[in-house]
Amino acid sequence: MNQISVKTKQRNARLTMAIAVAMAAAFGAATAHAADGGWTETKTKGFLPLVQQQAATAASTDVASAAASAVDLAPGETIDVLLGLNLRNETQLDTFLRDLHTPGSPQYHRFVTTEQFASQYAPTQQQVDAVVAHLRKAGFVNIVVAPNRLLVSASGTAATVKAAFRTGLKGFSKNGRHVYANTDAAQVPNALGSIVGSVLGLQNVELMHTGASQPEGDTSNLTIPSGAAAVPHNPTEFSSIYDAGTTPTASQTTVGIISEGNLTQTVSDLNTFAANNGLGTISSSVVKTGSSGSSYTDTSGTVEWNMDSQAIVGAAGGSVQKVVFYDAPAMTLSAITAAYNRVVTDNVAKVINVSLGVCESSAHSQGSQATDDTIFKQAVAQGQTFSVSAGDHGAYECAGGSPSRSTYTVSEPATSPYVIAVGGTTVFTQASNTGTYNSEIVWNDPSWQPGTVWSTGGGFSAYESAPSWQSSSLTGSTKRGLPDVGFDADLRTGAILVVSGQTSDTLWGSGYLNNEGGTSLAAPIFTGIWARLESANGNNLGFPASSIYQYFPSNASVVNDVTSGNNGSGGYGYNAKAGWDATTGFGSIDISNLNAFIQKTPDFAQ
């Protein structure tokens, strides 16, 4: 036998052996599937392929190279997961949410308690027990079920993740951080397929982010109307700018703020802000929303949480019943989702501020978008309102501000139909009285960090259908359009904050103010205004979206319509126009006029 024939036989033998091994593995897998009833994909898709795809087309070749060469995590590397469970009787819940705001319906204005919601719409205890048993069998520990049974948290390792959800985890470096992402869609046994919606925590590549900030801005590129001024504002001025008149303060209403990290300085600065402005004591508390043993040391968001709290109190008229900081231990999507859920299970804050966002496709792929919606549905059912910033990169949220000009994307959770999405404006005040409103345009600042779009978020969701109250004849789309309203966000006309106990010379050096903006300012302005309207109406108002879309188009006196500006670049993006548009929604609110309208319109936000 010649040498070639010997090599051929050896190769064929190896091939035969490989096929046999593969067939045996396939047979073993098929037998295992038959034994365990098979597996079902959750809404959590493989995140690493998404990262690799995005990185391959991005300017950063370092990220693309790192993602392409990602390596398996060590089996013992610690991983915390958060399972988002599906609602029970969701069709009935959707009907209830519609009837809740339909005059004449038996369910009209009959908000539910947290206990009633869990009883009627949460997974059953038996279903949750089955999920917990699966986690324990895979090796997870520290398993905690949320009071409303919508979330289950657990601690494990890369090995337990693979056993429980049939996906590997790979790590790589991004912007100096060691990150990881799941290689495949998360799966659960078929018996749990109708119960488990998402498995969060399988990636830490994409984080929630806050908005824009900078020293006092240069207004030379603004066309300022005759007789108007473009100046930064003490947050207390937002009451007069948006015409509160004699509308009572929010002294009867508790507000919540989704926040993260160490809030010691934020609480101290809120007290200093109140003292500086003669507002009296602002009652506040911090509710830590992470699992036992979580660390709350991050201070990078201090200025953001300062802006949220000080802008809310200022727009609320200088008084709220209480400010509750719902404090997450990290900016991961799973940690922030857990904070949302704590708000609804506590059910003490009537209005909740979220000055955070993330690329919608990332939230969708991880499954947090679907989980967030279940939580926000509970908020609506209970009469709570989430106010969410629309994003600060114009029509290009997912591009990081350096966009393909004709490719539009939006921010989550602003895309949820169960929140009020708040866009951004540049507010001009009277030159003779900078606490009095003059006009507004769409916030779009091309002078700050050229090459990056800093403008109000807005556009249309790629995944969320338009809610019943947002007609396609109004928006021109069958998808959820955002924002719903808009308020001051321009860093050139933004908020002068107390930071580290001072209002100047601290952050940026002598001669500069701690001037902050972005839709991270616009959202708390609306939060404070809506809390004020709640107090003025006995905390009897519910989620206002359907009433906003029903009444605002035909009652011009309650809004300041923004009809000038654009949130894109180079002629792209969305343009402001009369009525609703995808830059500032219906515009800003005239507080006094809207309060008067509510009091003569019994079904507004009822």
Side-chain angles (χ1 to χ4, degrees), residues 150 249 278 417 508 520 570 594 599:
L150 291 183
T249 71
W508 312 111
S520 290
L594 180 56
Q599 293 185 352

Side-chain angles (χ1 to χ4, degrees), residues 434-600:
T434 56
T436 301
Y437 184 89
N438 177 280
S439 58
E440 286 168 282
I441 60 174
V442 176
W443 167 50
N444 192 331
D445 184 357
S447 67
W448 188 44
Q449 294 182 354
T452 297
V453 174
W454 289 103
S455 178
T456 179
F460 298 90
S461 170
Y463 311 101
E464 301 270 22
S465 296
S468 59
W469 38 262
Q470 192 178 59
S471 68
S472 59
S473 62
L474 179 72
T475 66
S477 174
T478 59
K479 295 296 186 181
R480 160 67 160 137
L482 61 145
D484 303 305
V485 290
F487 293 89
D488 185 28
D490 197 315
L491 288 80
R492 298 162 293 190
T493 62
I496 304 168
L497 303 180
V498 173
V499 178
S500 298
Q502 300 184 53
T503 55
S504 63
D505 302 337
T506 303
L507 288 184
W508 312 111
S510 178
Y512 285 103
L513 299 173
N514 295 332
N515 187 39
E516 305 293 326
T519 57
S520 290
L521 170 61
I525 290 175
F526 174 75
T527 298
I529 289 173
W530 191 248
R532 191 170 194 159
L533 293 170
E534 285 281 6
S535 281
N537 291 276
N539 285 321
N540 203 36
L541 305 178
F543 181 61
S546 60
S547 291
I548 285 174
Y549 281 80
Q550 178 183 356
Y551 289 115
F552 280 17
S554 55
N555 292 277
S557 67
V558 303
V559 292
N560 304 303
D561 195 2
V562 180
T563 60
S564 177
N566 167 282
N567 73 341
S569 174
Y572 292 92
Y574 297 98
N575 295 312
K577 61 181 180 62
W580 184 90
D581 54 64
T583 60
T584 64
F586 287 107
S588 62
I589 288 172
D590 183 297
I591 302 171
S592 181
N593 287 351
L594 180 56
N595 187 48
F597 183 82
I598 291 171
Q599 293 185 352
K600 69 179 183 181

Side-chain angles (χ1 to χ4, degrees), residues 233-239 273 277 310-315 495-497:
H233 299 282
N234 182 315
T236 58
E237 291 183 292
F238 293 125
S239 286
F273 167 77
N277 290 283
Q310 293 172 35
I312 287 170
V313 170
I496 304 168
L497 303 180

Side-chain angles (χ1 to χ4, degrees), residues 34-51:
D36 61 25
W39 291 68
T40 300
E41 283 193 8
T42 66
K43 295 182 179 74
T44 299
K45 307 308 177 187
F47 205 81
L48 183 61
L50 177 66
V51 174

Side-chain angles (χ1 to χ4, degrees), residues 6-20:
V6 171
K7 288 184 176 179
T8 300
K9 283 197 171 187
Q10 289 174 338
R11 185 180 67 243
N12 289 343
R14 289 195 299 269
L15 180 60
T16 300
M17 179 61 72
I19 292 172

